[in-house]
Structures are given as C-alpha cells and as structure tokens.
Amino acid sequence: MTTLAFGLDVATYLAFCGAAVALILAPGPDTMYVLARGLDGRGPGVRSAFGIATGVLFHTLLATVGAAALFRAVPEAAAALKYVGAAYLGYLGVAALRNDEFDPAVETERGASFRRGVLVNALNPKVALFFLAFLPGFAGQGAGSGVRMASLGATYAALTALYLSVVALGADRLGARLAETRVASALNYVGAGTMLLLGVVLVLE
C-alpha cells in the first residue's frame, strides 16, 4: 500500500478528499458569502475565498489539540459556537444594509473581505463538526497524528480556496453584467438578506 510523505496511505487520503469536496460543494455560509462578495467585484470575492480557506486552519488547530473531547463532554460549547456564528452572520447582514457593503458602486476596505471570510468559516459549526469528528478518524492515532491532521487540514484549505475562488470569479462576471442593469441597485439588499437568512437558518437547524 502506497504511503504519502506525511504518513497517510493514498486510499485514506483520497477518501478524505472525497468527503472534503462533498462538504465544500454543499451550499452554506462560506459559499454564499463569497458569492455575495464576488458580485461586488473580483478582488473582494477572491480575498473572501482565501479568508475562508485561512479559517479552515483554525478548525485544524482545534482538532489537533483535541477540542473534539471538549465538545463531546460539553454539548453546550457546540451550541454556543452555532449561536455565535448565527449572530455574526446577522451582524454582517445589518452592517451591509447600513454601509451598502454589497453594492458594487461602493468600494469596501481591502482587508475587510479577508478578515470577515476568516470569521465566517471559523464560526461555521458545520465545518467545526466535520473537523472535530472526522479529521482525527482519518488521521489516526499514535505518533505523527498531529502532522497527519495538519496535512489534511492544509488539503481542505487548498480545496476550499480553489473552489471558492472559482465561485468568486463567476460571481464577478455575473456582477459585471448586472451592473449595467437596474438589478445592480438591489444587489446590496440581496447580499445583506442572504447573510440574515443564513443566520436564521443556522439557529433553526
């Protein structure tokens, strides 16, 4: 059986990649945020995509230090993460309505998309549960498990950055077309409404 440099066999690694791609492709706060930012422009969209990919490293760190045991012992901690994530999405929606953040005609701070992307992912309970529940299972136990988990986390982050960058570029092209129509003036409401709706859905799940 072929073993990769970081100590994981190819079959297990490919199985992880398959599970990761399935989760990445599932519509959620990460994808919707990048889509909304991409409609605002290529730069904000791609920066938000890389911010979300960076947020993946936060979940990797939690899994590596054994936070899964904490979530199993204290279920309220997982619930708290969900509510904090929902509150942050609500904040993004309200802030967008107040500042026209998703309006293509309004230029936003360059670093804001990246920072908010990091938080959108870091506070995403679905990604947290995937990492805390499945990452240790794929990485195994014993010597080198930390290196294996870090490598799997980096793989997930790379796949996330790749897919969401494509989403951002596609949204940018769509946004450029919509900018020439009357729909452009409604894009800010669409983006803000999406964030608010995702926050509500997260609470009700």
Side-chain angles (χ1 to χ4, degrees):
M1 185 176 296
T2 304
T3 302
L4 300 173
F6 47 88
L8 206 64
D9 65 81
V10 173
T12 302
Y13 181 71
L14 292 178
F16 172 82
C17 289
V21 168
L23 182 61
I24 291 169
L25 294 179
D30 294 348
T31 304
M32 298 308 297
Y33 182 69
V34 171
L35 181 60
R37 286 260 57 102
L39 289 172
D40 194 24
R42 178 181 303 178
V46 173
R47 285 194 292 273
S48 66
F50 276 85
I52 285 171
T54 301
V56 167
L57 302 180
F58 169 76
H59 295 293
T60 303
L61 176 62
L62 288 182
T64 302
V65 299
L70 170 65
F71 279 82
R72 284 195 297 267
V74 188
E76 293 80 5
L81 178 63
K82 179 177 76 170
Y83 290 124
V84 171
Y88 184 66
L89 289 171
Y91 162 76
L92 289 179
V94 172
L97 288 174
R98 295 180 59 184
N99 305 322
D100 295 329
E101 184 179 336
F102 293 113
D103 187 339
V106 178
E107 184 174 355
T108 57
E109 180 189 350
R110 289 184 61 86
S113 297
F114 178 84
R115 292 195 303 271
R116 291 175 180 175
V118 172
L119 287 174
V120 165
N121 184 271
L123 298 175
N124 187 339
K126 289 184 178 181
V127 180
L129 290 175
F130 174 84
F131 271 72
L132 296 178
F134 291 102
L135 200 63
F138 282 105
Q141 303 295 323
S145 61
V147 173
R148 291 191 293 273
M149 277 196 274
S151 300
L152 292 176
T155 297
Y156 190 101
L159 292 171
T160 298
L162 176 62
Y163 170 68
L164 292 182
S165 293
V166 172
V167 170
L169 295 176
D172 172 57
R173 294 185 63 180
L174 177 60
R177 294 183 179 181
L178 294 178
E180 302 173 358
T181 69
R182 294 180 180 179
V183 179
S185 60
L187 288 179
N188 187 63
Y189 295 100
V190 173
T194 299
M195 295 299 103
L196 291 170
L197 179 61
L198 286 172
V200 172
V201 170
L202 192 58
V203 170
L204 296 178
E205 283 186 331

PDB file of all heavy atoms in Angstrom, residues 24-46:
ATOM      1  N   ILE A  24     -17.473  20.910   0.954  1.00  0.00           N
ATOM      2  CA  ILE A  24     -17.154  22.208   0.353  1.00  0.00           C
ATOM      3  C   ILE A  24     -18.201  22.608  -0.684  1.00  0.00           C
ATOM      4  O   ILE A  24     -18.593  23.771  -0.780  1.00  0.00           O
ATOM      5  CB  ILE A  24     -15.754  22.165  -0.285  1.00  0.00           C
ATOM      6  CG1 ILE A  24     -14.680  22.055   0.808  1.00  0.00           C
ATOM      7  CG2 ILE A  24     -15.500  23.404  -1.141  1.00  0.00           C
ATOM      8  CD1 ILE A  24     -13.300  21.747   0.284  1.00  0.00           C
ATOM      9  N   LEU A  25     -18.683  21.614  -1.450  1.00  0.00           N
ATOM     10  CA  LEU A  25     -19.656  21.903  -2.503  1.00  0.00           C
ATOM     11  C   LEU A  25     -21.062  22.149  -1.957  1.00  0.00           C
ATOM     12  O   LEU A  25     -21.904  22.717  -2.663  1.00  0.00           O
ATOM     13  CB  LEU A  25     -19.704  20.755  -3.513  1.00  0.00           C
ATOM     14  CG  LEU A  25     -18.446  20.531  -4.353  1.00  0.00           C
ATOM     15  CD1 LEU A  25     -18.646  19.351  -5.296  1.00  0.00           C
ATOM     16  CD2 LEU A  25     -18.096  21.779  -5.160  1.00  0.00           C
ATOM     17  N   ALA A  26     -21.321  21.714  -0.714  1.00  0.00           N
ATOM     18  CA  ALA A  26     -22.648  21.918  -0.133  1.00  0.00           C
ATOM     19  C   ALA A  26     -22.852  23.404   0.142  1.00  0.00           C
ATOM     20  O   ALA A  26     -22.015  24.036   0.792  1.00  0.00           O
ATOM     21  CB  ALA A  26     -22.777  21.115   1.154  1.00  0.00           C
ATOM     22  N   PRO A  27     -23.958  23.986  -0.343  1.00  0.00           N
ATOM     23  CA  PRO A  27     -24.209  25.417  -0.116  1.00  0.00           C
ATOM     24  C   PRO A  27     -24.278  25.726   1.372  1.00  0.00           C
ATOM     25  O   PRO A  27     -24.869  24.976   2.148  1.00  0.00           O
ATOM     26  CB  PRO A  27     -25.570  25.645  -0.792  1.00  0.00           C
ATOM     27  CG  PRO A  27     -25.710  24.536  -1.768  1.00  0.00           C
ATOM     28  CD  PRO A  27     -25.019  23.352  -1.137  1.00  0.00           C
ATOM     29  N   GLY A  28     -23.655  26.796   1.771  1.00  0.00           N
ATOM     30  CA  GLY A  28     -23.643  27.194   3.173  1.00  0.00           C
ATOM     31  C   GLY A  28     -23.147  28.617   3.304  1.00  0.00           C
ATOM     32  O   GLY A  28     -22.972  29.330   2.305  1.00  0.00           O
ATOM     33  N   PRO A  29     -22.901  29.077   4.538  1.00  0.00           N
ATOM     34  CA  PRO A  29     -22.448  30.452   4.754  1.00  0.00           C
ATOM     35  C   PRO A  29     -21.181  30.805   3.977  1.00  0.00           C
ATOM     36  O   PRO A  29     -21.068  31.912   3.451  1.00  0.00           O
ATOM     37  CB  PRO A  29     -22.199  30.496   6.272  1.00  0.00           C
ATOM     38  CG  PRO A  29     -23.097  29.449   6.826  1.00  0.00           C
ATOM     39  CD  PRO A  29     -23.125  28.357   5.802  1.00  0.00           C
ATOM     40  N   ASP A  30     -20.224  29.862   3.893  1.00  0.00           N
ATOM     41  CA  ASP A  30     -18.969  30.142   3.188  1.00  0.00           C
ATOM     42  C   ASP A  30     -19.225  30.484   1.722  1.00  0.00           C
ATOM     43  O   ASP A  30     -18.777  31.514   1.215  1.00  0.00           O
ATOM     44  CB  ASP A  30     -18.033  28.930   3.268  1.00  0.00           C
ATOM     45  CG  ASP A  30     -17.557  28.655   4.680  1.00  0.00           C
ATOM     46  OD1 ASP A  30     -17.767  29.528   5.546  1.00  0.00           O
ATOM     47  OD2 ASP A  30     -16.993  27.583   4.916  1.00  0.00           O
ATOM     48  N   THR A  31     -19.943  29.590   1.048  1.00  0.00           N
ATOM     49  CA  THR A  31     -20.203  29.786  -0.380  1.00  0.00           C
ATOM     50  C   THR A  31     -21.035  31.037  -0.627  1.00  0.00           C
ATOM     51  O   THR A  31     -20.740  31.819  -1.541  1.00  0.00           O
ATOM     52  CB  THR A  31     -20.931  28.562  -0.961  1.00  0.00           C
ATOM     53  OG1 THR A  31     -20.153  27.388  -0.715  1.00  0.00           O
ATOM     54  CG2 THR A  31     -21.137  28.713  -2.465  1.00  0.00           C
ATOM     55  N   MET A  32     -22.065  31.240   0.190  1.00  0.00           N
ATOM     56  CA  MET A  32     -22.952  32.384  -0.020  1.00  0.00           C
ATOM     57  C   MET A  32     -22.234  33.708   0.241  1.00  0.00           C
ATOM     58  O   MET A  32     -22.476  34.704  -0.445  1.00  0.00           O
ATOM     59  CB  MET A  32     -24.186  32.262   0.872  1.00  0.00           C
ATOM     60  CG  MET A  32     -25.043  31.032   0.577  1.00  0.00           C
ATOM     61  SD  MET A  32     -25.495  30.878  -1.178  1.00  0.00           S
ATOM     62  CE  MET A  32     -26.476  32.358  -1.411  1.00  0.00           C
ATOM     63  N   TYR A  33     -21.328  33.709   1.224  1.00  0.00           N
ATOM     64  CA  TYR A  33     -20.593  34.947   1.488  1.00  0.00           C
ATOM     65  C   TYR A  33     -19.673  35.283   0.325  1.00  0.00           C
ATOM     66  O   TYR A  33     -19.603  36.437  -0.115  1.00  0.00           O
ATOM     67  CB  TYR A  33     -19.779  34.821   2.782  1.00  0.00           C
ATOM     68  CG  TYR A  33     -19.048  36.106   3.122  1.00  0.00           C
ATOM     69  CD1 TYR A  33     -19.742  37.231   3.520  1.00  0.00           C
ATOM     70  CD2 TYR A  33     -17.661  36.197   3.008  1.00  0.00           C
ATOM     71  CE1 TYR A  33     -19.085  38.422   3.803  1.00  0.00           C
ATOM     72  CE2 TYR A  33     -16.996  37.377   3.289  1.00  0.00           C
ATOM     73  CZ  TYR A  33     -17.721  38.486   3.691  1.00  0.00           C
ATOM     74  OH  TYR A  33     -17.070  39.661   3.951  1.00  0.00           O
ATOM     75  N   VAL A  34     -18.960  34.289  -0.194  1.00  0.00           N
ATOM     76  CA  VAL A  34     -18.067  34.526  -1.323  1.00  0.00           C
ATOM     77  C   VAL A  34     -18.863  34.939  -2.561  1.00  0.00           C
ATOM     78  O   VAL A  34     -18.449  35.819  -3.314  1.00  0.00           O
ATOM     79  CB  VAL A  34     -17.224  33.275  -1.625  1.00  0.00           C
ATOM     80  CG1 VAL A  34     -16.447  33.430  -2.925  1.00  0.00           C
ATOM     81  CG2 VAL A  34     -16.257  33.013  -0.485  1.00  0.00           C
ATOM     82  N   LEU A  35     -20.022  34.317  -2.754  1.00  0.00           N
ATOM     83  CA  LEU A  35     -20.875  34.683  -3.890  1.00  0.00           C
ATOM     84  C   LEU A  35     -21.299  36.137  -3.799  1.00  0.00           C
ATOM     85  O   LEU A  35     -21.217  36.890  -4.778  1.00  0.00           O
ATOM     86  CB  LEU A  35     -22.099  33.770  -3.923  1.00  0.00           C
ATOM     87  CG  LEU A  35     -23.098  33.992  -5.058  1.00  0.00           C
ATOM     88  CD1 LEU A  35     -22.431  33.793  -6.412  1.00  0.00           C
ATOM     89  CD2 LEU A  35     -24.289  33.067  -4.904  1.00  0.00           C
ATOM     90  N   ALA A  36     -21.736  36.546  -2.607  1.00  0.00           N
ATOM     91  CA  ALA A  36     -22.154  37.934  -2.422  1.00  0.00           C
ATOM     92  C   ALA A  36     -20.984  38.897  -2.600  1.00  0.00           C
ATOM     93  O   ALA A  36     -21.120  39.957  -3.217  1.00  0.00           O
ATOM     94  CB  ALA A  36     -22.783  38.108  -1.041  1.00  0.00           C
ATOM     95  N   ARG A  37     -19.822  38.530  -2.075  1.00  0.00           N
ATOM     96  CA  ARG A  37     -18.648  39.398  -2.214  1.00  0.00           C
ATOM     97  C   ARG A  37     -18.168  39.421  -3.665  1.00  0.00           C
ATOM     98  O   ARG A  37     -17.672  40.434  -4.144  1.00  0.00           O
ATOM     99  CB  ARG A  37     -17.516  38.889  -1.308  1.00  0.00           C
ATOM    100  CG  ARG A  37     -17.718  39.164   0.156  1.00  0.00           C
ATOM    101  CD  ARG A  37     -16.900  40.377   0.589  1.00  0.00           C
ATOM    102  NE  ARG A  37     -17.221  41.559  -0.165  1.00  0.00           N
ATOM    103  CZ  ARG A  37     -17.984  42.532   0.289  1.00  0.00           C
ATOM    104  NH1 ARG A  37     -18.523  42.453   1.473  1.00  0.00           N
ATOM    105  NH2 ARG A  37     -18.221  43.606  -0.431  1.00  0.00           N
ATOM    106  N   GLY A  38     -18.285  38.285  -4.354  1.00  0.00           N
ATOM    107  CA  GLY A  38     -17.873  38.235  -5.751  1.00  0.00           C
ATOM    108  C   GLY A  38     -18.726  39.120  -6.632  1.00  0.00           C
ATOM    109  O   GLY A  38     -18.233  39.711  -7.604  1.00  0.00           O
ATOM    110  N   LEU A  39     -20.009  39.233  -6.329  1.00  0.00           N
ATOM    111  CA  LEU A  39     -20.874  40.144  -7.085  1.00  0.00           C
ATOM    112  C   LEU A  39     -20.410  41.584  -6.915  1.00  0.00           C
ATOM    113  O   LEU A  39     -20.643  42.429  -7.778  1.00  0.00           O
ATOM    114  CB  LEU A  39     -22.328  40.005  -6.605  1.00  0.00           C
ATOM    115  CG  LEU A  39     -23.044  38.705  -6.977  1.00  0.00           C
ATOM    116  CD1 LEU A  39     -24.394  38.631  -6.275  1.00  0.00           C
ATOM    117  CD2 LEU A  39     -23.229  38.601  -8.491  1.00  0.00           C
ATOM    118  N   ASP A  40     -19.731  41.843  -5.800  1.00  0.00           N
ATOM    119  CA  ASP A  40     -19.206  43.179  -5.510  1.00  0.00           C
ATOM    120  C   ASP A  40     -17.919  43.454  -6.274  1.00  0.00           C
ATOM    121  O   ASP A  40     -17.491  44.597  -6.397  1.00  0.00           O
ATOM    122  CB  ASP A  40     -18.969  43.286  -4.000  1.00  0.00           C
ATOM    123  CG  ASP A  40     -18.740  44.703  -3.548  1.00  0.00           C
ATOM    124  OD1 ASP A  40     -19.195  45.631  -4.235  1.00  0.00           O
ATOM    125  OD2 ASP A  40     -18.103  44.892  -2.497  1.00  0.00           O
ATOM    126  N   GLY A  41     -17.251  42.385  -6.772  1.00  0.00           N
ATOM    127  CA  GLY A  41     -16.009  42.575  -7.524  1.00  0.00           C
ATOM    128  C   GLY A  41     -15.073  41.389  -7.360  1.00  0.00           C
ATOM    129  O   GLY A  41     -15.173  40.619  -6.398  1.00  0.00           O
ATOM    130  N   ARG A  42     -14.152  41.237  -8.301  1.00  0.00           N
ATOM    131  CA  ARG A  42     -13.222  40.107  -8.274  1.00  0.00           C
ATOM    132  C   ARG A  42     -12.331  40.142  -7.044  1.00  0.00           C
ATOM    133  O   ARG A  42     -12.138  39.118  -6.385  1.00  0.00           O
ATOM    134  CB  ARG A  42     -12.362  40.122  -9.539  1.00  0.00           C
ATOM    135  CG  ARG A  42     -11.331  39.002  -9.591  1.00  0.00           C
ATOM    136  CD  ARG A  42     -10.500  39.077 -10.855  1.00  0.00           C
ATOM    137  NE  ARG A  42     -11.335  39.031 -12.050  1.00  0.00           N
ATOM    138  CZ  ARG A  42     -10.868  39.111 -13.289  1.00  0.00           C
ATOM    139  NH1 ARG A  42      -9.561  39.264 -13.494  1.00  0.00           N
ATOM    140  NH2 ARG A  42     -11.690  39.057 -14.320  1.00  0.00           N
ATOM    141  N   GLY A  43     -11.782  41.317  -6.727  1.00  0.00           N
ATOM    142  CA  GLY A  43     -10.881  41.433  -5.577  1.00  0.00           C
ATOM    143  C   GLY A  43     -11.534  41.021  -4.270  1.00  0.00           C
ATOM    144  O   GLY A  43     -11.024  40.144  -3.563  1.00  0.00           O
ATOM    145  N   PRO A  44     -12.676  41.647  -3.905  1.00  0.00           N
ATOM    146  CA  PRO A  44     -13.340  41.249  -2.656  1.00  0.00           C
ATOM    147  C   PRO A  44     -13.728  39.778  -2.636  1.00  0.00           C
ATOM    148  O   PRO A  44     -13.627  39.122  -1.596  1.00  0.00           O
ATOM    149  CB  PRO A  44     -14.592  42.148  -2.624  1.00  0.00           C
ATOM    150  CG  PRO A  44     -14.226  43.337  -3.451  1.00  0.00           C
ATOM    151  CD  PRO A  44     -13.343  42.799  -4.537  1.00  0.00           C
ATOM    152  N   GLY A  45     -14.164  39.249  -3.781  1.00  0.00           N
ATOM    153  CA  GLY A  45     -14.564  37.843  -3.839  1.00  0.00           C
ATOM    154  C   GLY A  45     -13.410  36.894  -3.579  1.00  0.00           C
ATOM    155  O   GLY A  45     -13.518  35.971  -2.768  1.00  0.00           O
ATOM    156  N   VAL A  46     -12.286  37.107  -4.248  1.00  0.00           N
ATOM    157  CA  VAL A  46     -11.131  36.224  -4.085  1.00  0.00           C
ATOM    158  C   VAL A  46     -10.530  36.379  -2.689  1.00  0.00           C
ATOM    159  O   VAL A  46     -10.129  35.390  -2.064  1.00  0.00           O
ATOM    160  CB  VAL A  46     -10.075  36.512  -5.167  1.00  0.00           C
ATOM    161  CG1 VAL A  46      -8.797  35.714  -4.893  1.00  0.00           C
ATOM    162  CG2 VAL A  46     -10.621  36.150  -6.549  1.00  0.00           C
TER     163      VAL A  46
END
